Short mmCIF file of all heavy atoms in Angstrom, two decimals:
data_model
loop_
_atom_site.label_atom_id
_atom_site.label_comp_id
_atom_site.label_asym_id
_atom_site.label_seq_id
_atom_site.Cartn_x
_atom_site.Cartn_y
_atom_site.Cartn_z
N MET A 1 0.81 -1.18 0.00
CA MET A 1 0.00 -0.01 0.00
C MET A 1 0.86 1.26 0.00
O MET A 1 0.51 2.24 -0.64
CB MET A 1 -0.94 -0.01 1.19
CG MET A 1 -2.07 -1.02 1.05
SD MET A 1 -3.21 -1.11 2.47
CE MET A 1 -3.94 0.49 2.44
N GLN A 2 1.96 1.21 0.74
CA GLN A 2 2.83 2.39 0.79
C GLN A 2 3.45 2.67 -0.58
O GLN A 2 3.55 3.83 -0.98
CB GLN A 2 3.92 2.20 1.83
CG GLN A 2 4.73 3.46 2.07
CD GLN A 2 5.73 3.30 3.19
OE1 GLN A 2 5.94 2.21 3.71
NE2 GLN A 2 6.35 4.39 3.57
N LYS A 3 3.79 1.63 -1.31
CA LYS A 3 4.38 1.81 -2.64
C LYS A 3 3.39 2.46 -3.61
O LYS A 3 3.78 3.15 -4.53
CB LYS A 3 4.87 0.48 -3.20
CG LYS A 3 6.10 -0.05 -2.50
CD LYS A 3 6.54 -1.37 -3.07
CE LYS A 3 7.73 -1.90 -2.31
NZ LYS A 3 8.18 -3.19 -2.82
N ARG A 4 2.10 2.21 -3.39
CA ARG A 4 1.07 2.78 -4.27
C ARG A 4 0.53 4.10 -3.73
O ARG A 4 -0.48 4.60 -4.19
CB ARG A 4 -0.06 1.78 -4.44
CG ARG A 4 0.41 0.50 -5.13
CD ARG A 4 -0.71 -0.46 -5.52
NE ARG A 4 -1.94 -0.34 -4.79
CZ ARG A 4 -2.59 -1.34 -4.22
NH1 ARG A 4 -2.11 -2.56 -4.29
NH2 ARG A 4 -3.72 -1.15 -3.60
N ASP A 5 1.19 4.67 -2.73
CA ASP A 5 0.80 5.94 -2.10
C ASP A 5 -0.60 5.90 -1.50
O ASP A 5 -1.31 6.89 -1.46
CB ASP A 5 0.89 7.10 -3.11
CG ASP A 5 2.32 7.47 -3.42
OD1 ASP A 5 3.19 7.29 -2.55
OD2 ASP A 5 2.57 7.93 -4.54
N LEU A 6 -1.01 4.73 -1.01
CA LEU A 6 -2.30 4.62 -0.35
C LEU A 6 -2.19 4.88 1.15
O LEU A 6 -3.18 5.20 1.79
CB LEU A 6 -2.93 3.24 -0.60
CG LEU A 6 -3.24 2.93 -2.06
CD1 LEU A 6 -3.73 1.49 -2.19
CD2 LEU A 6 -4.26 3.90 -2.60
N ILE A 7 -1.00 4.70 1.67
CA ILE A 7 -0.76 5.01 3.08
C ILE A 7 0.58 5.71 3.20
O ILE A 7 1.43 5.64 2.32
CB ILE A 7 -0.76 3.74 3.98
CG1 ILE A 7 0.37 2.81 3.58
CG2 ILE A 7 -2.10 3.06 3.97
CD1 ILE A 7 0.58 1.67 4.57
N CYS A 8 0.74 6.38 4.29
CA CYS A 8 2.00 7.06 4.60
C CYS A 8 2.32 6.79 6.05
O CYS A 8 1.44 6.95 6.91
CB CYS A 8 1.85 8.55 4.33
SG CYS A 8 3.31 9.49 4.71
N ILE A 9 3.51 6.39 6.35
CA ILE A 9 3.91 6.10 7.71
C ILE A 9 4.70 7.28 8.24
O ILE A 9 5.72 7.67 7.66
CB ILE A 9 4.76 4.81 7.79
CG1 ILE A 9 3.93 3.64 7.27
CG2 ILE A 9 5.24 4.58 9.21
CD1 ILE A 9 4.71 2.37 7.11
N LEU A 10 4.20 7.87 9.32
CA LEU A 10 4.86 9.01 9.95
C LEU A 10 5.24 8.64 11.37
O LEU A 10 4.37 8.29 12.17
CB LEU A 10 3.95 10.23 9.97
CG LEU A 10 3.47 10.73 8.61
CD1 LEU A 10 2.42 11.82 8.80
CD2 LEU A 10 4.63 11.25 7.81
N PRO A 11 6.50 8.72 11.72
CA PRO A 11 6.88 8.41 13.10
C PRO A 11 6.41 9.50 14.06
O PRO A 11 6.41 10.67 13.72
CB PRO A 11 8.40 8.34 13.05
CG PRO A 11 8.78 9.18 11.88
CD PRO A 11 7.65 9.08 10.91
N LEU A 12 5.96 9.07 15.22
CA LEU A 12 5.61 10.01 16.27
C LEU A 12 6.67 9.92 17.35
O LEU A 12 7.80 9.52 17.11
CB LEU A 12 4.23 9.67 16.85
CG LEU A 12 3.05 9.90 15.91
CD1 LEU A 12 1.76 9.42 16.56
CD2 LEU A 12 2.93 11.37 15.56
N LEU A 13 6.32 10.29 18.55
CA LEU A 13 7.26 10.21 19.66
C LEU A 13 7.51 8.76 20.02
O LEU A 13 6.58 8.04 20.38
CB LEU A 13 6.71 10.97 20.87
CG LEU A 13 6.34 12.41 20.60
CD1 LEU A 13 5.62 12.99 21.80
CD2 LEU A 13 7.57 13.21 20.28
N LEU A 14 8.71 8.32 19.90
CA LEU A 14 9.02 6.92 20.17
C LEU A 14 9.72 6.72 21.50
O LEU A 14 9.49 5.77 22.19
CB LEU A 14 9.91 6.36 19.05
CG LEU A 14 9.30 6.41 17.65
CD1 LEU A 14 10.31 5.93 16.63
CD2 LEU A 14 8.04 5.59 17.59
N GLY A 15 10.62 7.59 21.83
CA GLY A 15 11.34 7.46 23.07
C GLY A 15 12.51 8.39 23.11
O GLY A 15 12.62 9.32 22.32
N GLU A 16 13.41 8.11 24.02
CA GLU A 16 14.60 8.93 24.17
C GLU A 16 15.77 8.03 24.52
O GLU A 16 15.60 6.91 24.99
CB GLU A 16 14.40 9.99 25.23
CG GLU A 16 14.12 9.43 26.61
CD GLU A 16 13.77 10.52 27.61
OE1 GLU A 16 14.09 11.70 27.36
OE2 GLU A 16 13.18 10.20 28.63
N LYS A 17 16.96 8.53 24.30
CA LYS A 17 18.15 7.76 24.62
C LYS A 17 18.56 8.07 26.06
O LYS A 17 18.73 9.23 26.43
CB LYS A 17 19.29 8.10 23.67
CG LYS A 17 20.52 7.21 23.90
CD LYS A 17 21.48 7.32 22.78
CE LYS A 17 21.00 6.36 21.73
NZ LYS A 17 22.02 5.80 20.90
N ASP A 18 18.68 7.03 26.86
CA ASP A 18 19.13 7.19 28.24
C ASP A 18 20.64 7.41 28.22
O ASP A 18 21.39 6.52 27.80
CB ASP A 18 18.76 5.93 29.04
CG ASP A 18 19.21 6.01 30.48
OD1 ASP A 18 19.73 7.04 30.91
OD2 ASP A 18 19.02 5.00 31.20
N PRO A 19 21.12 8.56 28.68
CA PRO A 19 22.54 8.84 28.61
C PRO A 19 23.39 7.91 29.51
O PRO A 19 24.56 7.67 29.23
CB PRO A 19 22.66 10.29 29.05
CG PRO A 19 21.41 10.60 29.76
CD PRO A 19 20.36 9.68 29.23
N MET A 20 22.79 7.39 30.54
CA MET A 20 23.54 6.51 31.46
C MET A 20 23.78 5.12 30.85
O MET A 20 24.86 4.58 30.95
CB MET A 20 22.79 6.37 32.79
CG MET A 20 22.55 7.68 33.49
SD MET A 20 24.07 8.51 33.96
CE MET A 20 24.42 7.70 35.47
N SER A 21 22.74 4.58 30.21
CA SER A 21 22.87 3.21 29.67
C SER A 21 23.08 3.22 28.15
O SER A 21 23.37 2.19 27.57
CB SER A 21 21.62 2.40 29.99
OG SER A 21 20.50 2.94 29.30
N ASP A 22 22.91 4.37 27.51
CA ASP A 22 23.02 4.52 26.05
C ASP A 22 21.99 3.65 25.32
O ASP A 22 22.19 3.25 24.19
CB ASP A 22 24.43 4.20 25.57
CG ASP A 22 24.73 4.82 24.23
OD1 ASP A 22 24.26 5.94 23.98
OD2 ASP A 22 25.41 4.17 23.42
N LYS A 23 20.87 3.37 26.00
CA LYS A 23 19.79 2.58 25.39
C LYS A 23 18.60 3.48 25.10
O LYS A 23 18.40 4.51 25.75
CB LYS A 23 19.34 1.47 26.35
CG LYS A 23 20.37 0.40 26.56
CD LYS A 23 19.85 -0.68 27.46
CE LYS A 23 20.90 -1.75 27.65
NZ LYS A 23 20.41 -2.83 28.50
N ASN A 24 17.81 3.09 24.11
CA ASN A 24 16.57 3.80 23.81
C ASN A 24 15.48 3.37 24.77
O ASN A 24 15.29 2.17 25.00
CB ASN A 24 16.13 3.54 22.38
CG ASN A 24 17.09 4.15 21.39
OD1 ASN A 24 17.62 5.23 21.62
ND2 ASN A 24 17.32 3.47 20.29
N VAL A 25 14.78 4.34 25.34
CA VAL A 25 13.74 4.08 26.32
C VAL A 25 12.44 4.71 25.83
O VAL A 25 12.43 5.86 25.40
CB VAL A 25 14.13 4.70 27.68
CG1 VAL A 25 13.05 4.45 28.72
CG2 VAL A 25 15.47 4.19 28.15
N LYS A 26 11.35 3.94 25.86
CA LYS A 26 10.05 4.45 25.43
C LYS A 26 9.61 5.58 26.35
O LYS A 26 9.78 5.53 27.56
CB LYS A 26 9.01 3.33 25.48
CG LYS A 26 7.65 3.75 25.02
CD LYS A 26 6.66 2.61 25.09
CE LYS A 26 5.27 3.09 24.76
NZ LYS A 26 4.28 2.03 24.89
N PHE A 27 9.05 6.65 25.77
CA PHE A 27 8.52 7.73 26.58
C PHE A 27 7.46 7.18 27.50
O PHE A 27 6.69 6.29 27.13
CB PHE A 27 7.90 8.81 25.69
CG PHE A 27 8.90 9.70 25.03
CD1 PHE A 27 8.84 9.91 23.67
CD2 PHE A 27 9.89 10.34 25.75
CE1 PHE A 27 9.74 10.75 23.04
CE2 PHE A 27 10.80 11.18 25.13
CZ PHE A 27 10.72 11.38 23.77
N SER A 28 7.37 7.71 28.70
CA SER A 28 6.40 7.18 29.65
C SER A 28 5.22 8.12 29.85
O SER A 28 4.12 7.83 29.44
CB SER A 28 7.07 6.87 30.98
OG SER A 28 7.70 8.03 31.48
N ASP A 29 5.44 9.27 30.43
CA ASP A 29 4.32 10.16 30.71
C ASP A 29 4.79 11.59 30.57
O ASP A 29 5.92 11.92 30.89
CB ASP A 29 3.76 9.90 32.11
CG ASP A 29 2.42 10.57 32.30
OD1 ASP A 29 1.77 10.93 31.31
OD2 ASP A 29 2.01 10.74 33.46
N PHE A 30 3.91 12.43 30.14
CA PHE A 30 4.21 13.84 29.93
C PHE A 30 3.18 14.70 30.63
O PHE A 30 2.02 14.35 30.67
CB PHE A 30 4.15 14.19 28.44
CG PHE A 30 5.19 13.55 27.61
CD1 PHE A 30 4.94 12.34 26.98
CD2 PHE A 30 6.42 14.15 27.44
CE1 PHE A 30 5.90 11.75 26.19
CE2 PHE A 30 7.38 13.56 26.65
CZ PHE A 30 7.12 12.36 26.02
N SER A 31 3.63 15.81 31.10
CA SER A 31 2.70 16.81 31.59
C SER A 31 2.54 17.84 30.46
O SER A 31 3.53 18.30 29.90
CB SER A 31 3.25 17.49 32.84
OG SER A 31 2.44 18.61 33.15
N THR A 32 1.32 18.16 30.15
CA THR A 32 1.08 19.16 29.11
C THR A 32 0.93 20.55 29.69
O THR A 32 0.67 21.50 28.96
CB THR A 32 -0.17 18.79 28.28
OG1 THR A 32 -1.28 18.65 29.18
CG2 THR A 32 0.04 17.50 27.52
N ASP A 33 1.13 20.68 30.99
CA ASP A 33 0.94 21.98 31.67
C ASP A 33 1.89 23.06 31.14
O ASP A 33 1.57 24.24 31.19
CB ASP A 33 1.14 21.85 33.18
CG ASP A 33 0.06 20.98 33.81
OD1 ASP A 33 -1.00 20.78 33.18
OD2 ASP A 33 0.29 20.50 34.93
N SER A 34 3.05 22.68 30.65
CA SER A 34 4.04 23.67 30.21
C SER A 34 3.75 24.19 28.80
O SER A 34 4.37 25.15 28.37
CB SER A 34 5.44 23.08 30.27
OG SER A 34 5.56 21.99 29.37
N TYR A 35 2.81 23.58 28.09
CA TYR A 35 2.49 24.02 26.74
C TYR A 35 1.39 25.07 26.77
O TYR A 35 0.51 25.03 27.63
CB TYR A 35 2.05 22.83 25.88
CG TYR A 35 3.15 21.84 25.68
CD1 TYR A 35 3.22 20.68 26.45
CD2 TYR A 35 4.16 22.05 24.76
CE1 TYR A 35 4.24 19.77 26.28
CE2 TYR A 35 5.18 21.15 24.58
CZ TYR A 35 5.21 20.01 25.35
OH TYR A 35 6.24 19.12 25.18
N PRO A 36 1.44 26.03 25.83
CA PRO A 36 0.46 27.13 25.85
C PRO A 36 -0.98 26.62 25.68
O PRO A 36 -1.23 25.75 24.86
CB PRO A 36 0.83 27.99 24.65
CG PRO A 36 2.15 27.51 24.16
CD PRO A 36 2.38 26.16 24.73
N ASP A 37 -1.86 27.18 26.47
CA ASP A 37 -3.27 26.87 26.35
C ASP A 37 -3.93 27.91 25.45
O ASP A 37 -4.90 28.56 25.81
CB ASP A 37 -3.92 26.84 27.74
CG ASP A 37 -5.22 26.06 27.76
OD1 ASP A 37 -5.43 25.25 26.84
OD2 ASP A 37 -6.01 26.26 28.68
N GLU A 38 -3.32 28.07 24.27
CA GLU A 38 -3.76 29.05 23.29
C GLU A 38 -3.86 28.37 21.93
O GLU A 38 -3.19 27.39 21.68
CB GLU A 38 -2.75 30.21 23.19
CG GLU A 38 -2.51 30.92 24.49
CD GLU A 38 -1.33 31.87 24.41
OE1 GLU A 38 -0.69 31.96 23.33
OE2 GLU A 38 -1.04 32.52 25.42
N LEU A 39 -4.66 28.96 21.07
CA LEU A 39 -4.78 28.42 19.72
C LEU A 39 -3.45 28.53 18.98
O LEU A 39 -2.64 29.41 19.25
CB LEU A 39 -5.85 29.18 18.94
CG LEU A 39 -7.28 28.99 19.42
CD1 LEU A 39 -8.22 29.91 18.65
CD2 LEU A 39 -7.73 27.55 19.30
N HIS A 40 -3.25 27.62 18.03
CA HIS A 40 -2.05 27.66 17.19
C HIS A 40 -2.02 28.97 16.41
O HIS A 40 -3.05 29.44 15.93
CB HIS A 40 -2.05 26.48 16.21
CG HIS A 40 -1.98 25.16 16.89
ND1 HIS A 40 -0.79 24.52 17.16
CD2 HIS A 40 -2.95 24.35 17.37
CE1 HIS A 40 -1.04 23.38 17.75
NE2 HIS A 40 -2.34 23.25 17.90
N LEU A 41 -0.85 29.55 16.26
CA LEU A 41 -0.72 30.83 15.58
C LEU A 41 -0.43 30.70 14.09
O LEU A 41 -0.51 31.68 13.36
CB LEU A 41 0.37 31.67 16.24
CG LEU A 41 0.12 32.03 17.71
CD1 LEU A 41 1.30 32.79 18.28
CD2 LEU A 41 -1.17 32.82 17.86
N HIS A 42 -0.09 29.51 13.64
CA HIS A 42 0.26 29.33 12.24
C HIS A 42 -0.93 29.71 11.36
O HIS A 42 -2.08 29.37 11.66
CB HIS A 42 0.69 27.90 11.96
CG HIS A 42 1.33 27.72 10.62
ND1 HIS A 42 0.60 27.54 9.48
CD2 HIS A 42 2.63 27.76 10.26
CE1 HIS A 42 1.42 27.43 8.46
NE2 HIS A 42 2.67 27.56 8.90
N GLU A 43 -0.65 30.40 10.26
CA GLU A 43 -1.73 30.89 9.38
C GLU A 43 -2.60 29.79 8.79
O GLU A 43 -3.77 30.01 8.47
CB GLU A 43 -1.14 31.75 8.26
CG GLU A 43 -0.17 30.98 7.38
CD GLU A 43 0.63 31.89 6.44
OE1 GLU A 43 1.02 32.98 6.87
OE2 GLU A 43 0.85 31.47 5.30
N GLU A 44 -2.05 28.59 8.64
CA GLU A 44 -2.83 27.47 8.06
C GLU A 44 -3.50 26.61 9.12
O GLU A 44 -4.16 25.63 8.80
CB GLU A 44 -1.93 26.62 7.18
CG GLU A 44 -1.45 27.37 5.94
CD GLU A 44 -0.63 26.52 5.03
OE1 GLU A 44 -0.74 25.28 5.08
OE2 GLU A 44 0.16 27.09 4.25
N SER A 45 -3.34 26.97 10.37
CA SER A 45 -3.98 26.21 11.45
C SER A 45 -5.49 26.37 11.36
O SER A 45 -6.00 27.47 11.12
CB SER A 45 -3.49 26.72 12.80
OG SER A 45 -4.26 26.17 13.84
N PRO A 46 -6.24 25.26 11.58
CA PRO A 46 -7.71 25.38 11.56
C PRO A 46 -8.26 26.11 12.78
O PRO A 46 -9.45 26.38 12.86
CB PRO A 46 -8.19 23.92 11.51
CG PRO A 46 -7.06 23.13 12.05
CD PRO A 46 -5.80 23.89 11.73
N LYS A 47 -7.42 26.44 13.75
CA LYS A 47 -7.82 27.19 14.96
C LYS A 47 -8.96 26.50 15.72
O LYS A 47 -9.92 27.12 16.12
CB LYS A 47 -8.24 28.61 14.59
CG LYS A 47 -7.26 29.38 13.76
CD LYS A 47 -6.27 30.14 14.61
CE LYS A 47 -5.45 31.12 13.83
NZ LYS A 47 -4.18 30.66 13.37
N GLN A 48 -8.82 25.18 15.88
CA GLN A 48 -9.85 24.43 16.60
C GLN A 48 -9.37 24.00 17.97
O GLN A 48 -10.16 23.95 18.91
CB GLN A 48 -10.26 23.20 15.79
CG GLN A 48 -10.96 23.55 14.51
CD GLN A 48 -11.25 22.32 13.67
OE1 GLN A 48 -10.69 21.26 13.89
NE2 GLN A 48 -12.11 22.47 12.70
N ASN A 49 -8.09 23.64 18.09
CA ASN A 49 -7.56 23.16 19.37
C ASN A 49 -6.39 24.04 19.81
O ASN A 49 -5.69 24.61 18.98
CB ASN A 49 -7.04 21.72 19.25
CG ASN A 49 -8.15 20.74 18.97
OD1 ASN A 49 -9.26 20.90 19.47
ND2 ASN A 49 -7.87 19.73 18.19
N THR A 50 -6.20 24.10 21.11
CA THR A 50 -5.04 24.81 21.61
C THR A 50 -3.79 23.96 21.41
O THR A 50 -3.89 22.75 21.13
CB THR A 50 -5.19 25.13 23.11
OG1 THR A 50 -5.19 23.91 23.85
CG2 THR A 50 -6.45 25.94 23.39
N VAL A 51 -2.65 24.57 21.58
CA VAL A 51 -1.39 23.83 21.48
C VAL A 51 -1.38 22.70 22.50
O VAL A 51 -1.03 21.55 22.20
CB VAL A 51 -0.18 24.78 21.70
CG1 VAL A 51 1.12 24.00 21.77
CG2 VAL A 51 -0.13 25.86 20.62
N ARG A 52 -1.81 22.99 23.71
CA ARG A 52 -1.85 21.98 24.78
C ARG A 52 -2.77 20.82 24.41
O ARG A 52 -2.42 19.65 24.61
CB ARG A 52 -2.32 22.64 26.08
CG ARG A 52 -2.23 21.73 27.28
CD ARG A 52 -2.64 22.41 28.55
NE ARG A 52 -1.77 23.54 28.81
CZ ARG A 52 -2.00 24.45 29.75
NH1 ARG A 52 -3.07 24.36 30.51
NH2 ARG A 52 -1.17 25.44 29.93
N GLN A 53 -3.95 21.11 23.84
CA GLN A 53 -4.87 20.04 23.45
C GLN A 53 -4.27 19.17 22.34
O GLN A 53 -4.40 17.95 22.36
CB GLN A 53 -6.19 20.64 22.96
CG GLN A 53 -7.02 21.25 24.06
CD GLN A 53 -8.18 22.06 23.51
OE1 GLN A 53 -8.04 22.76 22.51
NE2 GLN A 53 -9.32 21.98 24.19
N THR A 54 -3.61 19.81 21.38
CA THR A 54 -2.99 19.06 20.29
C THR A 54 -1.92 18.12 20.80
O THR A 54 -1.87 16.93 20.43
CB THR A 54 -2.40 20.02 19.24
OG1 THR A 54 -3.45 20.84 18.72
CG2 THR A 54 -1.74 19.25 18.10
N LEU A 55 -1.05 18.60 21.68
CA LEU A 55 0.02 17.76 22.21
C LEU A 55 -0.55 16.64 23.07
O LEU A 55 -0.05 15.52 23.05
CB LEU A 55 1.03 18.60 22.98
CG LEU A 55 1.92 19.40 22.04
CD1 LEU A 55 2.63 20.51 22.75
CD2 LEU A 55 2.92 18.49 21.36
N LYS A 56 -1.60 16.92 23.80
CA LYS A 56 -2.23 15.87 24.61
C LYS A 56 -2.76 14.74 23.70
O LYS A 56 -2.62 13.56 24.02
CB LYS A 56 -3.36 16.46 25.45
CG LYS A 56 -3.84 15.54 26.53
CD LYS A 56 -4.72 16.29 27.50
CE LYS A 56 -4.82 15.46 28.77
NZ LYS A 56 -5.31 16.21 29.89
N GLU A 57 -3.34 15.11 22.56
CA GLU A 57 -3.82 14.10 21.61
C GLU A 57 -2.66 13.28 21.02
O GLU A 57 -2.78 12.07 20.84
CB GLU A 57 -4.63 14.75 20.50
CG GLU A 57 -5.95 15.33 20.95
CD GLU A 57 -6.87 14.28 21.56
OE1 GLU A 57 -7.01 13.20 20.95
OE2 GLU A 57 -7.44 14.55 22.63
N ILE A 58 -1.56 13.94 20.72
CA ILE A 58 -0.38 13.23 20.22
C ILE A 58 0.14 12.25 21.27
O ILE A 58 0.46 11.11 20.96
CB ILE A 58 0.72 14.22 19.80
CG1 ILE A 58 0.28 14.99 18.56
CG2 ILE A 58 2.04 13.50 19.55
CD1 ILE A 58 1.18 16.13 18.17
N PHE A 59 0.19 12.69 22.51
CA PHE A 59 0.66 11.81 23.58
C PHE A 59 -0.29 10.64 23.78
O PHE A 59 0.13 9.53 24.13
CB PHE A 59 0.85 12.58 24.88
CG PHE A 59 1.92 13.65 24.81
CD1 PHE A 59 1.90 14.71 25.69
CD2 PHE A 59 2.94 13.60 23.86
CE1 PHE A 59 2.88 15.70 25.62
CE2 PHE A 59 3.91 14.58 23.80
CZ PHE A 59 3.89 15.63 24.68
N LYS A 60 -1.58 10.84 23.55
CA LYS A 60 -2.54 9.74 23.64
C LYS A 60 -2.24 8.68 22.58
O LYS A 60 -2.32 7.47 22.83
CB LYS A 60 -3.97 10.24 23.47
CG LYS A 60 -4.57 10.87 24.69
CD LYS A 60 -6.00 11.27 24.40
CE LYS A 60 -6.58 12.05 25.54
NZ LYS A 60 -7.96 12.52 25.23
N LEU A 61 -1.90 9.12 21.36
CA LEU A 61 -1.54 8.18 20.30
C LEU A 61 -0.35 7.33 20.70
O LEU A 61 -0.25 6.15 20.38
CB LEU A 61 -1.21 8.92 19.01
CG LEU A 61 -2.36 9.56 18.27
CD1 LEU A 61 -1.82 10.41 17.12
CD2 LEU A 61 -3.31 8.52 17.75
N GLN A 62 0.58 7.94 21.40
CA GLN A 62 1.78 7.25 21.86
C GLN A 62 1.47 6.32 23.03
O GLN A 62 2.23 5.44 23.37
CB GLN A 62 2.85 8.27 22.25
CG GLN A 62 4.16 7.67 22.70
CD GLN A 62 4.90 6.95 21.59
OE1 GLN A 62 4.65 7.16 20.43
NE2 GLN A 62 5.80 6.08 21.96
N GLY A 63 0.30 6.53 23.67
CA GLY A 63 -0.09 5.69 24.81
C GLY A 63 0.48 6.19 26.12
O GLY A 63 0.60 5.43 27.07
N THR A 64 0.81 7.48 26.19
CA THR A 64 1.39 8.01 27.41
C THR A 64 0.43 8.85 28.21
O THR A 64 0.75 9.31 29.28
CB THR A 64 2.64 8.87 27.11
OG1 THR A 64 2.23 9.96 26.28
CG2 THR A 64 3.71 8.06 26.41
N GLN A 65 -0.79 9.07 27.72
CA GLN A 65 -1.78 9.89 28.44
C GLN A 65 -3.00 9.07 28.73
O GLN A 65 -3.40 8.24 27.98
CB GLN A 65 -2.18 11.11 27.60
CG GLN A 65 -1.10 12.14 27.54
CD GLN A 65 -0.91 12.94 28.80
OE1 GLN A 65 -1.87 13.38 29.42
NE2 GLN A 65 0.31 13.10 29.23
#
């Protein structure tokens, strides 16, 4: 399907490298409190969700929220 352009695979947040063990570790949990609770400012943004809401949805896809 990917070869026929029917699907596209986009990586999301996968993890981080632990500097102590030099191993990749899956992200666990995030606080979205530090992200702005304001609409996206980009001119092409549909202006439906705040930055905080968008990141929370991304973290849900990753299974961390």
Side-chain angles (χ1 to χ4, degrees):
M1 288 179 65
Q2 188 175 8
K3 289 180 182 179
R4 296 188 338 230
D5 288 330
L6 297 175
I7 63 170
C8 178
I9 299 171
L10 300 172
L12 291 175
L13 304 172
L14 300 176
E16 61 186 340
K17 186 167 275 210
D18 180 4
M20 301 297 276
S21 66
D22 202 37
K23 292 182 179 181
N24 293 322
V25 180
K26 182 180 174 183
F27 283 129
S28 57
D29 193 18
F30 293 93
S31 170
T32 56
D33 295 341
S34 64
Y35 295 99
D37 200 19
E38 302 170 359
L39 293 174
H40 296 268
L41 297 177
H42 192 276
E43 60 192 39
E44 294 183 22
S45 170
K47 308 271 191 266
Q48 294 175 343
N49 294 325
T50 66
V51 173
R52 187 177 299 170
Q53 289 169 321
T54 300
L55 285 164
K56 194 167 197 164
E57 291 301 313
I58 291 171
F59 296 157
K60 281 182 187 177
L61 288 173
Q62 182 66 19
T64 60
Q65 288 286 315

